Amino acid sequence: MRVMGKLKLAIVYGAICGGCDVSLVNTGEKLADVLEKYDIVYWGAAIDGKADMLEKLDKIDVAIYMGTVRTESNLKYAKLIRDKADLVVAYGACAVYGGIPGLGALMEPEEIMKIVSSTVTTESKEEIDLPEELKLPRILPTCTSLVEILDPDVMAPGCPPGPISNDGLLKVLIDYAAGKKPEGKIIFGEEQSLCHECPRKPKDLSKIVMPGIYRLHEIKLEEGKCFLEQGILCMGPATRAACDMPCIKNNMPCIGCMGPAPGVDDVGLKYLSAIASILLVDKEKELLENGLARHLDKIVDPLGMFYRYTLPSSYITKLSIKRRKKRG
Ligand code: SF4
């Protein structure tokens, strides 16, 4: 590792919406202090340059990857940073877990392209024969997080990452510039679920009773009371405590962007089992007569709800990929 002069920092994109960039830039002066010690050798949003600049670099000290790995080009640059950078950071829910673009993980690429093409409005019906370098990169058979592709050293979850991830990352960058590389893998946040830190948590988390399943517009929310106790789906029980709870504090339930709580392999399965064990547990007779399914049917888009940020790493996606490979 270099100890003299500035270090080389590259910020590289996969399939990204831009929110990660905004979050990083919003750290303001703190980021400016860190950048005293780094030369930005690549960052699409901040410096003029083309992606092949990365290929020309011999070595990068730190690479921050934002976004999901969705196209051949995303994959190429993900592998390239692992080869060239000493420290790789997966920044944001998409890089760490697959995120919102990861919701396409179960669809065939052709299906996705069909939907995208149907939204493009053009007068011309002619196929334009573009030179190779101007063509859109081909999309991969499925959508993957950076974590599934390579082994990042640091993971900063969040959609977008909030103060816990950002402060943690900036500290890692400062330490690294001072010659201290993190020992082992780092994921920012606490080793517990969001419920444990939530100001709305009931006295006894193990005694939550869900009175049914409602959508936000169907009830008048009681501020300060646990969402689950009001029948609103809140992903707190299955989500890592790694944010300063902007949603909860603004009277909105957690949607799980910090990824799985420690010990949770599959967010959707964990959440479904949590819901099944608290839904109408005080109304045994009704459950025996009508069953649980009638109530669970009220969940609109269960896959999108339970796996909003983690579909690529779910068992269901892994199974589907296996089946697709078998079919050839
Ligand atoms: Fe807080 Fe949601 Fe957990 Fe209830 S379920 S304690 S509202 S994070």
Side-chain angles (χ1 to χ4, degrees), residues 193-202 205 208 224-230 232-239 245 248 252-254 271 278:
S193 77
L194 186 67
C195 290
H196 287 93
E197 307 215 325
C198 177
R200 302 173 85 123
K201 76 170 179 245
L205 273 172
I208 293 180
K225 186 173 176 183
C226 172
F227 286 105
L228 290 177
E229 288 189 325
Q230 303 185 65
I232 298 294
L233 294 169
C234 175
M235 293 297 289
T239 302
M245 289 176 265
I248 301 276
M252 292 296 283
C254 166
Y271 194 67
I278 60 172

